[in-house]
Amino acid sequence: MDTGTILGYAASYIAAMGGIFLLYLPVIVLLVALLIAGGVLQLVLLPFIALVKRFRHRPAPDLDASWLLDGRR
């Protein structure tokens, strides 16, 4: 094997990696776009989520445990 053959193999290996990257580039771009869109949607909906949490105020639970010591059983 001479130097030209080794350089040819290396160049074809790099070309194959570049081709595979270009093949999957639309999928990578779509994934990044969906992640960004999800983050923007969360930022837009954040005030509405805060309003819903404020208006869904639940009454405080009854933490009085005096019935445990009541002897009327």
Side-chain angles (χ1 to χ4, degrees):
M1 263 167 63
D2 61 340
T3 308
T5 307
I6 294 173
L7 287 177
Y9 284 151
S12 63
Y13 183 74
I14 292 171
M17 286 193 319
I20 291 172
F21 175 74
L22 288 176
L23 182 67
Y24 287 108
L25 186 62
V27 176
I28 295 169
V29 169
L30 181 65
L31 181 67
V32 170
L34 286 174
L35 286 172
I36 291 172
V40 168
L41 186 64
Q42 280 186 349
L43 285 176
V44 168
L45 293 179
L46 191 62
F48 297 109
I49 293 171
L51 280 175
V52 167
K53 284 185 179 181
R54 177 176 285 178
F55 287 128
R56 284 184 57 195
H57 178 69
R58 296 188 180 122
D62 185 22
L63 298 177
D64 184 21
S66 62
W67 62 273
L68 289 172
L69 301 176
D70 195 8
R72 290 185 277 160
R73 279 203 172 210

